[in-house]
């Protein structure tokens, strides 16, 4: 049988970017060695690079001058490291049936080709369910993914719940210590589309982070249409040149809406940047990231941490506060991550009791007014971060 020959020339930056994007989704400890590979299809339209670990698949298309079309399979992370290190000159790839020769300027590499016969067939994308602006998609995913669990023994907490109701979408994630909820509107393929999905948070966050937000092209979200939404257990995310699929999680996400308080006994508004800086300084003496205390009173919030054994720290910041003075403690890491997810100049805290979860929301146009019963309604917002307090001594 005649050996296949493949040959093409490709721009370094395009090839390096595509390889790095596919390689980042490849498993570091694959169940089969072949899954370490990136499949390169060279044809008259350029190159398609693909990766698949039986859970997540990635495909990206780039332009190239193809003189001998065909397919090759190379070790993904090694190829990505090599291509990324080459000078900014055209890269020539030649495959003679046994080895892959990479030349770029005066650099020359020889890579063994992996056997292509047993490479799995990549899954097809489901039908497009709706489209969304890439910047909005990236922002929304980043805001909720921070609260997702990382313990694989609790799969229902490692996902982001996605609720589709026509043009309205709700995302939610929790690790039991905090809960993040984001709402937004998109353009559904069908006006009456409805679905409840649980998507692996790590895959969704990685995909959103690497989207090119400068193209202006909407992102296509594909889980099927009509009666078939979510039925095949697969989610597809596509832009003009990049496609990702991931298996949905088969688990029940906790009922989260009852956890969100409708009203509060006290509210506070604090500027985020100085608060982040103060938390970073004060938490230097917090033992094992244990807790940072926040004393809220009219006009100020005082942050403190530590004790007699490790030293102590205290810092006072101005804040707008309404309600009875309150002392509450939080894990400083969770607090900082919540503040980073609030994309306004100030954050609004809502409190009920020092032992009950507090909410953090973006600053509204005006703080909620106190009701006749002495409580404050939760501000209407598209993002809410609910944070469990740490128990105070005594």
């Amino acid at each position: 049988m005649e050996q296949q020959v493949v040959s093409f020339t490709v721009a370094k930056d395009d090839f390096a970017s595509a390889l790095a994007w596919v390689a980042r989704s490849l498993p570091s400890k694959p169940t089969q060695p072949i899954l370490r590979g990136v499949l390169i299809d060279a044809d008259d339209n350029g190159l398609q690079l693909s990766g698949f670990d039986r859970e997540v698949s990635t495909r990206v298309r780039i332009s190239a001058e193809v003189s001998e079309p065909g397919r090759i399979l190379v070790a993904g992370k090694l190829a990505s490291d090599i291509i990324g290190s080459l000078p900014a000159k055209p890269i020539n790839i030649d495959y003679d049936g046994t080895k892959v020769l990479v030349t770029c300027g005066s650099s020359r590499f020889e890579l063994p080709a992996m056997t292509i016969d047993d490479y799995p067939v990549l899954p097809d994308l489901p039908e497009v369910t709706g489209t969304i602006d890439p910047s909005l998609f990236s922002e929304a995913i980043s805001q909720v993914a921070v609260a997702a669990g990382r313990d694989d023994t609790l799969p229902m907490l490692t996902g982001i719940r996605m609720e589709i109701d026509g043009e309205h979408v709700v995302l939610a994630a929790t690790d039991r210590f905090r809960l993040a909820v984001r709402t937004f509107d998109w353009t559904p393929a069908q006006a009456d589309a409805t679905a409840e999905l649980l998507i692996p948070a790590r895959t969704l966050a990685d995909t959103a982070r690497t989207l090119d937000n400068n193209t202006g092209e909407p992102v296509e979200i594909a889980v099927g249409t009509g009666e078939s939404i979510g039925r095949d257990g697969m989610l597809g995310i596509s832009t003009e040149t990049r496609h990702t699929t991931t298996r949905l999680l088969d688990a029940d996400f906790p009922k989260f809406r009852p956890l969100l308080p409708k009203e509060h006994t006290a509210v506070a508004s604090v500027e985020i940047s100085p608060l982040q800086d103060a938390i970073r300084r004060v938490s230097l003496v917090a033992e094992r990231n244990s807790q940072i205390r926040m004393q809220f009173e009219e006009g100020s919030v005082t942050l403190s941490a530590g004790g007699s054994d490790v030293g102590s720290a205290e810092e006072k910041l101005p804040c707008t506060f309404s309600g009875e003075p309150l002392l509450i403690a939080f894990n400083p890491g969770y607090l900082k991550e919540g503040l980073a997810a609030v994309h306004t100049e100030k954050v609004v805290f809502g409190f009920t009791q020092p032992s009950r979860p507090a909410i953090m929301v973006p600053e509204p146009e005006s703080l909620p007014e106190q009701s006749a019963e002495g409580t404050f309604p939760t501000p209407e917002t598209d993002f809410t971060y609910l944070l469990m307090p740490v128990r105070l001594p005594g």
Side-chain angles (χ1 to χ4, degrees), residues 291-321:
Q291 64 172 242
I292 190 162
R293 299 178 292 277
M294 303 179 78
Q295 175 73 57
F296 287 92
E297 53 200 354
E298 189 175 344
S300 70
V301 55
T302 302
L303 284 70
S304 60
S308 56
D309 295 341
V310 292
S312 61
E314 186 175 294
E315 188 161 340
K316 182 178 278 196
L317 296 173
C319 91
T320 304
F321 181 76

Side-chain angles (χ1 to χ4, degrees), residues 97-129:
T98 57
K99 59 184 181 296
V100 179
L101 180 65
V102 180
T103 52
C104 177
S106 58
S107 300
R108 184 178 184 278
F109 287 86
E110 236 179 58
L111 298 176
M114 301 173 71
T115 307
I116 214 164
D117 302 341
D118 299 328
Y119 195 77
V121 177
L122 270 67
D124 292 326
L125 286 163
E127 282 190 82
V128 173
T129 314

Side-chain angles (χ1 to χ4, degrees), residues 292-294 296 326-330 351 353-354 356 358 389 392:
I292 190 162
R293 299 178 292 277
M294 303 179 78
F296 287 92
L326 176 94
L327 175 64
I328 193 166
F330 295 113
F351 306 104
Q353 299 172 24
R356 301 288 298 161
L392 285 159

Side-chain angles (χ1 to χ4, degrees), residues 16-194:
S17 171
L19 258 177
W21 185 71
V22 173
R24 67 183 289 136
S25 299
L26 297 176
S28 54
K29 296 178 180 175
T31 52
Q32 299 167 277
I34 200 168
L35 299 180
R36 292 187 296 110
V38 168
L39 184 65
I40 302 174
D41 282 282
D43 57 32
D44 294 340
N45 298 316
L47 306 180
Q48 178 174 279
L49 284 72
S50 312
F52 187 33
D53 69 354
R54 302 199 186 277
E55 293 292 327
V56 178
S57 79
T58 48
R59 272 169 280 196
V60 56
R61 183 161 278 283
I62 58 174
S63 56
E65 293 177 25
V66 178
S67 49
E68 293 283 354
R71 315 177 87 199
I72 52 177
L73 185 67
V74 293
K77 294 194 188 300
L78 175 61
S80 177
D81 289 344
I82 289 171
I83 299 302
S85 71
L86 292 174
K89 295 179 179 179
I91 294 173
N92 298 303
I93 305 285
D94 294 289
Y95 171 58
D96 64 4
T98 57
K99 59 184 181 296
V100 179
L101 180 65
V102 180
T103 52
C104 177
S106 58
S107 300
R108 184 178 184 278
F109 287 86
E110 236 179 58
L111 298 176
M114 301 173 71
T115 307
I116 214 164
D117 302 341
D118 299 328
Y119 195 77
V121 177
L122 270 67
D124 292 326
L125 286 163
E127 282 190 82
V128 173
T129 314
T131 58
I132 179 174
D133 173 80
S135 297
L136 173 58
F137 182 66
S138 295
E139 179 189 50
I141 298 300
S142 69
Q143 285 179 302
V144 296
V146 69
R150 293 166 180 82
D151 182 356
D152 290 331
T153 63
L154 298 168
M156 77 291 287
L157 301 182
T158 63
I160 292 175
R161 179 176 170 87
M162 184 179 193
E163 299 177 353
I164 299 167
D165 184 9
E167 64 181 23
H168 306 299
V169 178
V170 179
L171 301 176
T174 182
D175 61 3
R176 294 183 301 178
F177 302 105
R178 62 258 178 88
L179 163 71
V181 182
R182 173 68 202 258
T183 59
F184 58 83
D185 288 349
W186 73 340
T187 306
Q190 294 176 315
D192 60 350
T194 60

Side-chain angles (χ1 to χ4, degrees), residues 7 11 82 191 257 384:
S7 181
I82 289 171
R257 283 183 174 81
T384 302

